[in-house]
Structure formats: structure tokens, C-alpha cells
Amino acid sequence: MYPDLSYFFHDIFGSQPDNWTSIVKTFGFFLALAFLGSGWVLRSELKRYEEEDLLSSIRKKITINEGFDIQELLMNGLFLFIAGGKLPYISQNFDQMKADPSSVLFSTAGNWIIGIVAALAYGVFYYFSKKDKNTKPKVQQIEIHPYQKTGDIVIIAAISGIVGARLFSILENFDAFLKDPIGTIFSGSGLTIYGGLIVAFIVVYWYIKKWNIKPIYMMDIASMAILVGYGIGRMGCQFSGDGDWGIIAAAQPEWWFLPDWLWAYDYPNNVTNSDLLLEHCSLEKYSEARQSGGRSTEDICEAACGIRYCHKLSAPVYPTPIYETALSFIGFGILWAIRKRIKIAGVLFFLYMIYNGTERFFIEQIRVNERYDYMGLNWSQAQYISALFVLIGIAGVLFLLFKSGKFKKSTDLKE
């Protein structure tokens, strides 16, 4: 497994893990790729919808201010204040940054005097660069195409999705949140995908309405974008070993013809540092390091093994992130292949809900997750939401077919 980029380079080039490249965390890297992949689908489909006259551009008046702009000054000044305060602190505490970037970036620690100086210097520069320019704002009318808002949509979906995923994860693991609120909030793992989908759907729906993009079309496009992003994101779960794996695998059946690691995997060097030590570190040495106390698991591993992530699972488990990656790309391929044949807007999205809900429900049977008893059922949070997804998807397809008159036409033909 590759908790960060340094472990990948160690496998490829034999370099020492936990070097400066460890600042690039594997899960975060794949999360960024997931949004880029989703953005590609959104942009290409928004262009196609406009070419087919299903969506249209809008004309909007914008104000261009060549003179003094208080919003520009405040935004850039704030950025330089934060950058000026954080960058020197990061350079002085780079070991901490390598180990846990979020604890450094989202803390109040920093050389804020430098930040203040940087912001003030920018303010002086801004004043002298603008004082002789035309202070009268100009109003222009521009044409904005739906696909040009792809970047904004992806950013909004990313932020709201991560917030929603973290919120649902906290609700699902509330005991862990109470023990370490800050660590849980800013952890790079443990995101609950359905929480992200629900919150992102609400926020993006509100945003696209402002730009005259019909939500029903965006729902169809988003169904494919979500599958691409989800598949790539699950690759991040697999490569980092973030704990989002399955239960202990049963004995491999004789009919299994794929590689053994696709049936059961022990996730060496997983980012959660779960379970037994690897062979390059003795239990005795690890126990001695633990007795010093007051240190994180990563620090204990580094003292005992020479690397920060030196655990593997004691019993191999089902590598469920691989299964979900494959199923997500298969689902995307199916929807992509039929997207032009389905003429009723919204059907594609509800088909996605049926497919995604069904896939996730059965994957949850072999995943490690908290179970909840409700109405005689013992399901995980994701299974209850998956079942709801399937029901909504079926109801949505039937409703749209009835509304379009498809069922009435087929009944008339039979008569």
C-alpha cells in the first residue's frame, strides 16, 4: 500500500519512504483525480446538450472595475496573509507537515507577523497600481455557455460533497468523533459517500438553477460523472489502505481463476496502521517503542521499524474498493452507451440510482461497517440509504414513463 507518494517511489525506485514527497497523500491525490474525471464528463456532456439545443447559453451583465476594488483587495490580502503566515511555519516544521498536512494547514499555528507584513505590502502595492486608473466601473454584457460553468460546479460539488461525506461519517462513528473531534473532522479517510452525494446534490441543484441549467438534464449528466468520480475515488481507498475494506475473506474457492489478491488481501503499509507488524520489524522492538508512551502509532512505527506505516492485517480481507471501482466503471460504460438512446430526461439518473443502490447494498454485505437494528433489519447506514436509492430510482423511472405516455401507448397497442 502507498499511504503517500514516498511509499510509491520506494517500490519503484527503492528510495527511502517518508521523505519530502510524503506530503502528497495517496487518498487526497486520487480524490483530486476523481473530481477531474467527473469534470471531464460534465464538460463534454454539457457541450453535447447545448449542440442538441437542449441547453442554451445565457447573456449576463458583468461589471468591470479597473479602479480600486475592495473585494479584490480583501481577497488577495487575505490569501497573502495566510500564505505569509503558513509557508515559513511549514518550512520550519516540515516533519510535522509530511506526517499530517491537515493538522498543520488547518491549525492556528503560523508566523502571523510575516503574514501581516505580506498583506500590508500587497495593500500598498495595490493602492499605487490603481490610483491613476479609471475609477468608473464599466458594464458589459457577455454570453455564458453551460459548459463554461463546469469548473464552478466541480468545485462546489467537491466542497459540499466532502462536507456531507464527513458529516455522515461523524454521525456513523460518533464515539470516535467525541474522542478526537479535530482529528476526525480533518482526517483524510472515513468519508461516507452517500453523505457527500446527498449534500452535493442539494447545493449543486441550487447553483445550476441560478444559471438557467435545467436540473433534470444535469441529473442525467451527473449520474455518469458520479460513477467515474466514485470509481477513481475507490482506487484511492485501495492504494492508500484507508480502512474501507471488507470483512475477513472466506477460504478461496477452487473455481477462482483471478489473482489471489483479488479474493483476499492483507493491506501492507496501510494508512490506518491497522493490525500486525510487517516482517521488517520485530514485535519485541515494537513493544519497546510503545513503552515510551505519549507518541502516535506512526511515531512508534518510525522508532521501531524505520518507517511510519509498518502494519498489515492479521487476516486477509475482501478488497471491496477494487470491486466497487470495477462496478463503477461498468455502470458508467452502460449509461454512457445508452445515454443518446434514452429520450426521456431524468430516466438516466434514476437508472443510476437503481444500479448504484443495488451495487452498494450487496457490497455492504462483505464490508466492515456499523450495523443498526431497525424494523427487524440489521443493516449498515449505507444499506438503508441504498435500499432507499433503489426504491426512489424505480419510482422515478415509472413516474417519468407514465408522464411521457409510454405506458399508455404500449397499453393501446395491446388492445
Short mmCIF file of all heavy atoms in Angstrom, two decimals, residues 25 61 71 122 136 139 161 185 204 250 252 359:
data_model
loop_
_atom_site.label_atom_id
_atom_site.label_comp_id
_atom_site.label_asym_id
_atom_site.label_seq_id
_atom_site.Cartn_x
_atom_site.Cartn_y
_atom_site.Cartn_z
N LYS A 25 -0.40 12.94 -0.17
CA LYS A 25 -1.11 11.79 0.37
C LYS A 25 -1.90 11.09 -0.74
O LYS A 25 -2.55 11.75 -1.55
CB LYS A 25 -2.05 12.22 1.49
CG LYS A 25 -1.35 12.95 2.64
CD LYS A 25 -0.25 12.12 3.26
CE LYS A 25 0.47 12.85 4.38
NZ LYS A 25 1.61 12.08 4.93
N LYS A 61 -25.02 40.54 -17.57
CA LYS A 61 -24.27 41.78 -17.41
C LYS A 61 -23.24 41.62 -16.30
O LYS A 61 -23.55 41.12 -15.22
CB LYS A 61 -25.21 42.93 -17.08
CG LYS A 61 -26.11 43.34 -18.23
CD LYS A 61 -27.00 44.52 -17.85
CE LYS A 61 -27.88 44.95 -19.02
NZ LYS A 61 -28.76 46.09 -18.66
N GLN A 71 -13.27 44.31 -2.91
CA GLN A 71 -13.36 42.85 -2.83
C GLN A 71 -12.05 42.19 -3.29
O GLN A 71 -11.56 41.26 -2.64
CB GLN A 71 -14.52 42.35 -3.70
CG GLN A 71 -14.72 40.84 -3.61
CD GLN A 71 -15.91 40.37 -4.42
OE1 GLN A 71 -16.70 41.16 -4.91
NE2 GLN A 71 -16.05 39.07 -4.56
N TYR A 122 1.11 44.09 0.07
CA TYR A 122 0.22 43.98 -1.09
C TYR A 122 -0.74 45.17 -1.15
O TYR A 122 -1.02 45.70 -2.23
CB TYR A 122 -0.57 42.68 -1.04
CG TYR A 122 -1.68 42.64 -2.06
CD1 TYR A 122 -1.39 42.42 -3.41
CD2 TYR A 122 -3.01 42.86 -1.69
CE1 TYR A 122 -2.39 42.41 -4.36
CE2 TYR A 122 -4.02 42.85 -2.64
CZ TYR A 122 -3.70 42.62 -3.96
OH TYR A 122 -4.70 42.62 -4.90
N LYS A 136 -14.33 54.65 -12.76
CA LYS A 136 -15.73 54.41 -13.12
C LYS A 136 -15.91 53.00 -13.65
O LYS A 136 -15.31 52.62 -14.66
CB LYS A 136 -16.18 55.42 -14.18
CG LYS A 136 -17.68 55.34 -14.47
CD LYS A 136 -18.09 56.42 -15.47
CE LYS A 136 -19.59 56.34 -15.74
NZ LYS A 136 -20.02 57.37 -16.73
N VAL A 139 -19.86 48.43 -17.52
CA VAL A 139 -20.82 47.33 -17.57
C VAL A 139 -20.79 46.72 -18.96
O VAL A 139 -20.96 47.42 -19.95
CB VAL A 139 -22.24 47.80 -17.21
CG1 VAL A 139 -23.22 46.64 -17.31
CG2 VAL A 139 -22.27 48.41 -15.82
N GLY A 161 -19.63 18.13 -1.19
CA GLY A 161 -19.57 16.67 -1.09
C GLY A 161 -18.68 16.22 0.04
O GLY A 161 -19.03 15.30 0.79
N ILE A 185 -12.54 15.31 12.10
CA ILE A 185 -13.02 16.25 11.09
C ILE A 185 -12.03 16.38 9.94
O ILE A 185 -12.40 16.36 8.77
CB ILE A 185 -13.29 17.63 11.71
CG1 ILE A 185 -14.51 17.57 12.64
CG2 ILE A 185 -13.51 18.69 10.63
CD1 ILE A 185 -14.74 18.82 13.44
N VAL A 204 -25.56 21.78 -5.45
CA VAL A 204 -25.39 21.95 -6.89
C VAL A 204 -26.73 22.27 -7.56
O VAL A 204 -26.80 23.08 -8.49
CB VAL A 204 -24.74 20.70 -7.53
CG1 VAL A 204 -24.75 20.80 -9.05
CG2 VAL A 204 -23.31 20.54 -7.04
N ALA A 250 -13.43 -15.41 3.23
CA ALA A 250 -13.60 -16.85 3.37
C ALA A 250 -12.50 -17.58 2.59
O ALA A 250 -11.76 -16.96 1.82
CB ALA A 250 -14.98 -17.26 2.86
N GLN A 252 -10.56 -19.32 -0.18
CA GLN A 252 -10.68 -19.10 -1.63
C GLN A 252 -11.21 -20.36 -2.31
O GLN A 252 -10.66 -21.44 -2.14
CB GLN A 252 -9.32 -18.74 -2.20
CG GLN A 252 -9.36 -18.36 -3.67
CD GLN A 252 -8.02 -17.82 -4.15
OE1 GLN A 252 -7.48 -16.90 -3.55
NE2 GLN A 252 -7.48 -18.41 -5.19
N GLU A 359 -25.76 -2.13 -6.27
CA GLU A 359 -24.33 -2.49 -6.13
C GLU A 359 -23.86 -2.26 -4.70
O GLU A 359 -23.23 -3.13 -4.09
CB GLU A 359 -23.52 -1.63 -7.12
CG GLU A 359 -22.02 -1.66 -6.92
CD GLU A 359 -21.52 -0.48 -6.10
OE1 GLU A 359 -21.80 0.67 -6.44
OE2 GLU A 359 -20.82 -0.76 -5.08
#
